[in-house]
Amino acid sequence: MVPQLPKLGLIAGGGAIPAIARDTCRADQRPFYIAALNGFCEPATVEGTEHGWFDLPQVGRLLKALKAAEVEDVCLCGRVRKPNFGALKPDLKGALLLPKIIKAAAPGDDAILRVVVDAFEQDGFRVIGIE
């Protein structure tokens, strides 16, 4: 018997990569959950899958959904544009994270990504790249 891989949470932005990651999970028989980002992820990407829709600043809601879906690993996939930070309406967890993200925006996208990855890791998820 082949051991089953841990359930993967696909944090799905725009473009083709989230659908490719979904299809790879299916081919590998890896359980997965898609956290689709409103305004970025294509609706067709989540059809027929276990999924939820999230606004960027809904960090607490997203983390809660991933835990409820019994996700262990997380993969950030797809394009996400830098938002207008002033227009965001974060939940409590997002409000606590937002100042770090705004500060990281000055150095660039890599710094923002590191803040996001750290947030997932601090909540007990293992962040993995596209393989």
Side-chain angles (χ1 to χ4, degrees), residues 19-43:
I20 293 169
R22 174 205 62 207
D23 293 346
T24 300
C25 286
R26 285 179 174 156
D28 293 346
Q29 297 184 334
R30 182 173 190 166
F32 66 95
Y33 172 87
I34 299 178
L37 299 178
N38 283 318
F40 301 101
C41 185
E42 294 295 326

Side-chain angles (χ1 to χ4, degrees), residues 52-116:
W53 287 94
F54 302 89
D55 290 330
L56 278 180
Q58 294 178 330
V59 179
R61 185 172 163 262
L62 171 62
L63 293 170
K64 186 176 179 178
L66 292 171
K67 287 180 182 177
E70 299 179 345
V71 166
E72 294 179 39
D73 294 345
V74 172
C75 179
L76 307 173
C77 54
R79 289 187 309 266
V80 176
R81 293 179 312 277
K82 229 181 276 184
N84 172 355
F85 293 115
L88 295 177
K89 294 180 175 41
D91 60 14
L92 179 60
K93 187 90 169 183
L96 295 172
L97 191 60
L98 195 56
K100 292 178 187 175
I101 290 175
I102 291 170
K103 183 177 179 182
D109 293 345
D110 284 346
I112 293 173
L113 188 57
R114 187 72 239 157
V115 170
V116 172

